[in-house]
Amino acid sequence: MYIPDQLQSNLEDGGTMFWYDRDGKQYPINRRTDTDKIPTVWAFEYAPITEERLQIVEQNLGFSLPPLLHAIYSRLANGGFGPGYGLSSLTNTSLSSKRQARFVDFSVFERQTPEAKHIMIPGYVWPNNFFCLCHWGCAIYSYLDIQTGRVFREAYYGDNQYGFECEALSLEAWFELWLAKGIHMFDL
């Protein structure tokens, strides 16, 4: 069982942490716990999506998913695993419905602030061809820019502004970060 570093020291000092299953049942874990007796799930939450359904989703989005995402959704699982609260499910109705905003070319905002860590955009516009990869909690999301292949972390900054920060230069690099060290909400 994976135990984050910051909790590992607590367990080594005799402390206790808790693990919750999908039904909300609590399991205390300390250094004497036999983790093999904790009922973990080793299957994906959602079955893969059919090719027909995937084509409908892509039509609704207005763009095709890159081959890696296409393979993940059609052969592995329809989201529910991976970084954050898991990859977004393609059957999630909020995913296929576009935000009620005017779509803009994201590169225009990047060129306006080339040295900025966060690219800020007003709340009444939304980047065209951005695909929601996952939700981190606290209104923070990761998006794949279909045009460039880069992954951006997005958060609401108040005053009707969204800030975007580049997480990875490619979808593959984003997954590699997650697999190598487990990217988290506050890693940027």
Side-chain angles (χ1 to χ4, degrees):
M1 171 181 276
Y2 168 74
I3 301 173
D5 293 339
Q6 64 266 28
L7 297 176
Q8 186 66 43
S9 63
N10 185 32
L11 291 177
E12 289 169 1
D13 293 338
T16 300
M17 61 183 234
F18 297 93
W19 179 82
Y20 296 85
D21 66 15
R22 289 186 178 169
D23 297 322
K25 184 175 178 186
Q26 182 183 60
Y27 296 85
I29 298 173
N30 58 45
R31 64 183 172 180
R32 293 177 301 282
T33 301
D34 181 359
T35 56
D36 291 333
K37 294 186 178 184
I38 295 176
T40 55
V41 177
W42 296 103
F44 291 111
E45 188 170 353
Y46 305 111
I49 194 168
T50 65
E51 284 292 332
E52 295 80 23
R53 180 69 180 133
L54 188 53
Q55 288 176 0
I56 292 168
V57 168
E58 289 177 333
Q59 285 175 344
N60 289 340
L61 290 170
F63 51 81
S64 296
L65 295 177
L68 177 58
L69 279 181
H70 190 101
I72 287 171
Y73 283 114
S74 65
R75 297 182 194 154
L76 191 60
N78 182 15
F81 72 95
Y85 289 121
L87 288 180
S88 299
S89 168
L90 294 180
T91 53
N92 180 341
T93 55
S94 66
L95 177 67
S96 60
S97 62
K98 295 182 177 180
R99 290 185 182 234
Q100 299 298 316
R102 183 173 56 109
F103 291 101
V104 295
D105 182 352
F106 186 70
S107 66
V108 170
F109 291 92
E110 284 186 292
R111 286 191 301 270
Q112 290 174 352
T113 55
E115 302 300 319
K117 182 176 179 181
H118 293 90
I119 294 116
M120 304 301 287
I121 66 169
Y124 58 87
V125 300
W126 192 251
N128 196 27
N129 297 324
F130 266 42
F131 175 76
C132 183
L133 290 169
C134 74
H135 178 227
W136 294 96
C138 298
I140 300 171
Y141 296 84
S142 287
Y143 286 90
L144 173 65
D145 180 349
I146 297 293
Q147 300 289 82
T148 67
R150 294 177 297 165
V151 176
F152 288 90
R153 179 86 48 107
E154 174 262 329
Y156 182 71
Y157 279 79
D159 294 329
N160 202 25
Q161 290 219 33
Y162 292 95
F164 292 84
E165 183 175 359
C166 186
E167 281 186 275
L169 297 178
S170 70
L171 180 63
E172 292 81 1
W174 186 72
F175 276 119
E176 286 173 8
L177 278 172
W178 170 64
L179 290 171
K181 68 172 192 153
I183 52 177
H184 303 285
M185 179 167 51
F186 298 110
D187 280 351
L188 292 180

